[in-house]
């Protein structure tokens, strides 16, 4: 009864977290003995996985794949609700940020018998999906890193060059060449730049950098490239840590400097950001900002914006002497109560195969998990005139770059629920970063249960 009650409470917490960003939709998984139900959230990827489904069905006569695609927020709300209602899909696209929660809920099927070899995928992607019990719960699907998107016209008008943006560095004391560049790209309503005398920080026309919000508990496209290149880690261990480190002086000094860019007028304020209506990409598209940190999953959005010519640069070099970026890797997971478990395993094995990964790569939408799949994607992007080296270099150039993952721990929803308002208070209200120490203590108290 104790375990069952913990599961119910955790599911309720996960559903509450999902409801904070979207509304549940009705419907059931709808499976039969000959059908494998598969859920994903990215509409851009749907054609690629429909192509994989055709290849799979050809190799497995009698089996059909039913793909359901939803928006990001609705996806997690409905998925969490489906575990409660017993209407979960056979297979779903899993996110490392949610893995700890789902593993704790015991709703995932072990995948040890699929013959997945970590060495067949980009470094680190496979190991991330191993639970504390030693079992695998996700088959590597794709990966992404973060880079700096910029408006080429604004950069040129400021007298800056692509090469210059490719070699920026920063430090938490004076911001280095990165802060100087962001300041120079900032223009107030009188036409003065952020590094010019008389600049009016309270009346900015174009911010040097778009805001992506306060970053919540991970800062993926906000402060994490800086905390990472300063040598900070989310937890005491790479995976399944038992203590968070938001109380670190390094973390707090970097966050203080980062949000301080908004006080100087260089970073768009917290009020400019809304996840749905005005994300960083929209701020760039509207001419409100000159640059934005964003993930590889947004490449098509930026490059597909009419009238906007963008470029990308790697994250700046930090105090460690290296660039840093979160490297997130999605995976395909099978639900423990899958209606067609055997068919689901065949489908997941195919999704993780080089055959499917090269098919997906050929669409030039994401970077698949296998090296051959990645190469296919790079070539597909190249045919579109898009250089994605700013995203791939962190993986190919380990000498000058470092990558890190989302924190993988128990009680992920609780960590998010505590850090989200705390970080927003720092960014939006100027609360002292030292207050994050108390939040960190609350988080570690929960993890210690």
């Amino acid at each position: 009864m104790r375990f069952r009650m913990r599961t119910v409470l955790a599911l309720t917490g996960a559903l509450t977290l999902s409801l904070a960003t979207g509304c549940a939709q009705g419907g059931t998984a709808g499976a039969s003995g000959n059908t494998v139900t598969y859920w994903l959230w990215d509409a851009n990827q749907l054609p690629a996985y429909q192509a994989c489904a055709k290849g799979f069905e050809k190799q497995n006569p009698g089996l059909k794949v039913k793909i359901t695609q939803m928006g990001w927020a609705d996806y997690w709300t409905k998925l969490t609700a489906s575990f409660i209602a017993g209407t979960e899909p056979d297979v779903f696209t899993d996110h490392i940020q949610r893995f700890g929660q789902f593993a704790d809920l015991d709703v995932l099927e072990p995948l040890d018998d699929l013959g997945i070899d970590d060495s067949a995928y980009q470094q680190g992607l496979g190991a991330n999906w191993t639970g504390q019990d030693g079992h695998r719960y996700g088959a590597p699907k794709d990966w992404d890193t973060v880079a700096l998107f910029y408006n080429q016209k604004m950069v040129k008008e400021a007298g800056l060059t692509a090469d210059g943006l490719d070699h920026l560095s920063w430090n938490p004391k004076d911001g280095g060449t990165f802060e100087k560049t962001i300041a120079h790209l900032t223009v107030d309503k009188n036409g003065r730049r952020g590094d010019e005398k008389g600049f009016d920080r309270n009346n900015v026309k174009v911010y040097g950098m778009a805001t992506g919000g306060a970053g919540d508990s991970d800062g993926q496209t906000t402060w994490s490239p800086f905390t990472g290149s300063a040598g900070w880690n989310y937890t005491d261990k790479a995976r399944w840590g038992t203590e968070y480190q938001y109380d670190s002086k390094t973390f707090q000094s970097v966050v203080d400097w980062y949000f301080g860019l908004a006080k100087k007028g260089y970073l768009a304020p917290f009020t400019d950001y809304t996840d749905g209506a005005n994300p960083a990409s929209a701020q760039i598209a509207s001419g409100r900002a000159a640059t934005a940190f964003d993930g590889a999953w947004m490449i098509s959005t930026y490059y597909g914006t009419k009238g906007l010519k963008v470029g990308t640069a790697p994250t700046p070099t930090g105090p460690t002497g290296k660039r840093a970026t979160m490297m997130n890797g999605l995976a395909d997971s099978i639900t423990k109560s899958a209606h067609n478990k055997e068919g689901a395993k065949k489908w997941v094995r195919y999704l993780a195969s080089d055959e499917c990964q090269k098919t997906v790569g050929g669409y030039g939408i994401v970077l698949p998990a296998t090296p051959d799949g990645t190469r296919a994607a790079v070539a597909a992007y190249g045919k579109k005139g898009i250089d994605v080296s700013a995203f791939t270099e962190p993986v190919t150039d380990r000498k000058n770059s470092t990558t890190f993952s989302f924190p993988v721990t128990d009680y992920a929803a609780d960590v998010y629920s505590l850090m989200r308002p705390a970080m927003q208070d720092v960014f939006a209200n100027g609360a002292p970063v030292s207050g994050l120490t108390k939040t960190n203590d609350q988080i570690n108290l929960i993890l210690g249960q």
Side-chain angles (χ1 to χ4, degrees), residues 52 63 107 135 137 177 218 255 287 302 307 314 328 389 440:
C52 278
L63 274 179
V107 295
H135 294 298
Y137 292 99
T177 58
D218 58 80
V255 168
Y302 282 91
N328 181 34
S389 59
N440 192 73

Side-chain angles (χ1 to χ4, degrees), residues 311-324:
T312 53
T315 59
T317 300
T320 59
K322 289 189 174 185
R323 303 184 179 102

Side-chain angles (χ1 to χ4, degrees), residues 74-159:
D74 286 343
Y75 180 89
W76 295 110
T77 305
K78 189 175 182 184
L79 180 63
T80 306
S82 77
F83 287 127
I84 299 174
T87 57
E88 60 266 50
D90 296 319
V91 183
F92 68 97
T93 301
D94 207 348
H95 193 292
I96 196 68
Q97 190 180 30
R98 311 276 174 156
F99 174 42
Q101 190 81 21
F102 289 144
D104 187 52
L105 298 177
D106 194 30
V107 295
L108 303 178
E109 176 73 12
L111 306 180
D112 306 292
D113 57 347
L114 296 190
I116 293 173
D117 183 353
D118 287 352
S119 65
Y121 307 94
Q122 299 287 2
Q123 184 177 332
L125 295 184
N128 277 349
W129 295 93
T130 300
Q132 295 185 79
D133 58 5
H135 294 298
R136 178 185 300 283
Y137 292 99
K141 180 184 190 68
D142 57 36
W143 62 277
D144 55 68
T145 52
V146 173
L148 187 70
F149 289 89
Y150 59 86
N151 182 314
Q152 290 191 25
K153 182 180 179 181
M154 289 182 179
V155 166
K156 185 177 181 180
E157 289 176 347

Side-chain angles (χ1 to χ4, degrees), residues 279-326:
S281 58
Q283 295 166 50
I284 296 291
S286 67
R288 178 69 167 166
T291 71
F293 283 105
D294 225 328
W297 64 92
M298 292 295 291
I299 291 173
S300 297
T301 298
Y302 282 91
Y303 280 89
T305 301
K306 188 176 181 180
L308 176 67
K309 191 173 183 179
V310 296
T312 53
T315 59
T317 300
T320 59
K322 289 189 174 185
R323 303 184 179 102
T325 171
M326 180 179 286

